[in-house]
Amino acid sequence: MPTTFQAMVVTETAPGQFQRAIVTRNLSDLPPGEVLLRVRYSSLNYKDALSASGNRGVTRCYPHTPGIDAAGEVLESGSPDFSPGEAVIVSCYDLGMNTPGGFAQYIRVPAKWIMPLPAGLALRESMIYGTAGFTAAQSVDRLERHPVLPEQGKILVTGATGGVGSMAVAMLSLSGFSVAAATGKPEQEQFLRDLGAQDIVSRENSIDRSGRMLLKEKWAGVIDTVGGEMLATAIKSTRYGGAVTCCGNAASPDLPLNVYPFILRGVSLIGIDSAECPMAVRLPIWEKIATTWRLPNLERLTTEISLKELDRHIECILQGKQRGRVVLNLDA
Ligand SMILES: NC(=O)c1ccc[n+]([C@@H]2O[C@H](COP(=O)([O-])OP(=O)(O)OC[C@H]3O[C@@H](n4cnc5c(N)ncnc54)[C@H](OP(=O)(O)O)[C@@H]3O)[C@@H](O)[C@H]2O)c1
């Protein structure tokens, strides 16, 4: 086993100034933990970009290696649950936040953060889904269990070309829903239609600033990834008895809204968290990703990169310009 490896390290060079570099690290730099993993693939999520740019809400201490997702093989295990050679996924919990993460060829983590690679999924494929795919799958699952049914009408997905959004469009479509995709990237209309979107809604037309408390009922359900005025507009436009999932704040953490959609239309707002999602919930969702929501068009929404190319993709996702999913190949 080599004693050194490559990792992205983010360093605070002056107060509030952060620099990213690919550096050689020693295995002895990793924190104590039960299981040492050789990471083969990771992925880029919005939260990684925040960690990689010094956001203290995500990462308190620097120098730091981001990467909330990792897939690879067990090298050493102090846990009876995992054996050397086993293919596994670590996604969320504290990985990449305040624990050195998957933008590195090795990680060491507690066994309770690890899950076996679901049967039928390859390591690379699992990281194309990653946290974004898992969050999209959780959101679709919660709508279905509400229940919101395909015959009740269209589902709106906001931030539709992003990681969570694009996965949600594709999974909803596989589940038989008619999908309206709200996007700020009109040039990506064909990309969204290829994933299964039937309608494309511009970002401007997804935000109502009239001040009206309720709007015309349009959506049977909504998967929101952006928050702010767009989420408020979507909730006000949800049909009687419908449901709206909320997982992100790509536009804003605010929610300028009154209670009328809830008390006059019985609309439900469902919070989605992937970071601390317990294994008992996590495993069945991944099982569905590997079966029901295994996307036939996965490569269409995937960009594969090496560690050296990561920096520019971090800038891209911070500017809201990312399309689909970026998978990081740690052997490239
Ligand atoms: N709750 C959880 O556990 C959880 C898990 C994963 C992600 N998240 C959150 O979900 C959000 C999306 O994550 P992601 O990884 O999919 O990020 P992403 O790939 O960057 O996607 C976000 C998308 O939102 C849209 N957008 C960006 N800025 C916007 C703005 N100012 N106004 C309106 N739309 C905007 C863009 O899509 P269009 O150009 O198509 O509009 C962008 O591609 C983030 O806030 C992330 O932190 C939460």
Side-chain angles (χ1 to χ4, degrees):
M1 190 191 316
T3 52
T4 60
F5 64 94
Q6 298 295 299
M8 170 175 272
V9 175
V10 184
T11 311
E12 188 166 20
T13 50
Q17 302 227 321
F18 295 85
Q19 198 174 62
R20 297 185 279 268
I22 308 304
V23 302
T24 301
R25 302 207 73 200
N26 292 306
L27 283 184
S28 57
D29 295 335
L30 292 174
E34 292 162 294
V35 183
L36 177 68
L37 299 183
R38 172 64 163 91
V39 183
R40 298 291 175 188
Y41 292 96
S42 178
S43 83
L44 179 60
N45 297 278
Y46 191 73
K47 199 191 245 181
D48 299 318
L50 295 178
S51 171
S53 51
N55 186 305
R56 303 264 184 206
V58 178
T59 300
R60 287 188 301 275
C61 297
Y62 294 85
H64 172 67
T65 294
I68 62 173
D69 284 329
E73 299 108 28
V74 173
L75 278 188
E76 290 173 359
S77 175
S79 159
D81 297 333
F82 298 100
S83 310
E86 203 174 335
V88 295
I89 297 176
V90 185
S91 181
C92 302
Y93 300 109
D94 195 47
L95 186 73
M97 293 181 68
N98 293 293
T99 301
F103 294 173
Q105 291 171 319
Y106 291 84
I107 57 171
R108 194 182 280 121
V109 292
K112 65 182 179 193
W113 295 358
I114 305 175
M115 53 173 276
L117 183 71
L121 280 190
L123 288 173
R124 177 177 181 276
E125 201 180 359
S126 74
M127 287 294 100
I128 298 176
Y129 291 100
T131 294
F134 176 71
T135 305
Q138 269 211 90
S139 305
V140 178
D141 182 66
R142 294 294 294 276
L143 284 189
E144 287 187 339
R145 287 196 288 119
H146 178 65
V148 175
L149 306 171
E151 55 269 29
Q152 287 172 329
K154 288 208 161 82
I155 309 294
L156 176 72
V157 176
T158 65
T161 66
V164 179
S166 57
M167 286 276 171
V169 169
M171 288 175 185
L172 284 165
S173 174
L174 258 190
S175 281
F177 287 97
S178 173
V179 182
T183 184
K185 304 185 189 86
E187 71 282 6
Q188 295 299 337
E189 171 167 350
Q190 196 53 50
F191 168 75
L192 290 167
R193 290 200 187 277
D194 288 347
L195 294 182
Q198 296 201 330
D199 297 347
I200 310 296
V201 189
S202 72
R203 194 175 286 176
E204 304 74 56
N205 287 339
S206 309
I207 297 176
D208 176 89
R209 296 198 173 104
S210 69
R212 289 170 63 196
M213 301 197 181
L214 287 170
L215 299 166
K216 186 166 173 247
E217 296 178 51
K218 280 191 194 162
W219 318 118
V222 177
I223 291 182
D224 178 72
T225 71
V226 304
E229 289 175 308
M230 204 182 284
L231 173 57
T233 303
I235 293 171
K236 290 186 205 176
S237 311
T238 298
R239 289 165 69 166
Y240 190 94
V244 178
T245 65
C246 161
C247 74
N249 57 355
S252 168
D254 296 333
L255 185 52
L257 192 66
N258 54 59
V259 298
Y260 291 114
F262 308 115
I263 66 174
L264 296 182
R265 287 190 183 157
V267 170
S268 295
L269 181 57
I270 301 172
I272 302 291
D273 169 62
S274 296
E276 294 300 322
C277 178
M279 277 294 171
V281 177
R282 192 178 290 272
L283 294 176
I285 296 282
W286 270 102
E287 181 62 34
K288 282 177 104 170
I289 289 173
T291 53
T292 320
W293 292 319
R294 191 158 185 198
L295 302 175
N297 42 12
L298 203 55
E299 289 302 328
R300 218 172 285 173
L301 50 73
T302 305
T303 306
E304 182 173 323
I305 62 165
S306 65
L307 265 176
K308 285 193 194 97
E309 296 166 287
L310 192 48
D311 189 67
R312 114 180 120 80
H313 286 273
I314 288 171
E315 287 306 320
C316 186
I317 202 169
L318 282 172
Q319 291 164 24
K321 291 184 181 159
Q322 196 61 61
R323 186 190 89 164
R325 294 283 291 146
V326 173
V327 64
L328 173 64
N329 181 344
L330 274 312
D331 290 318

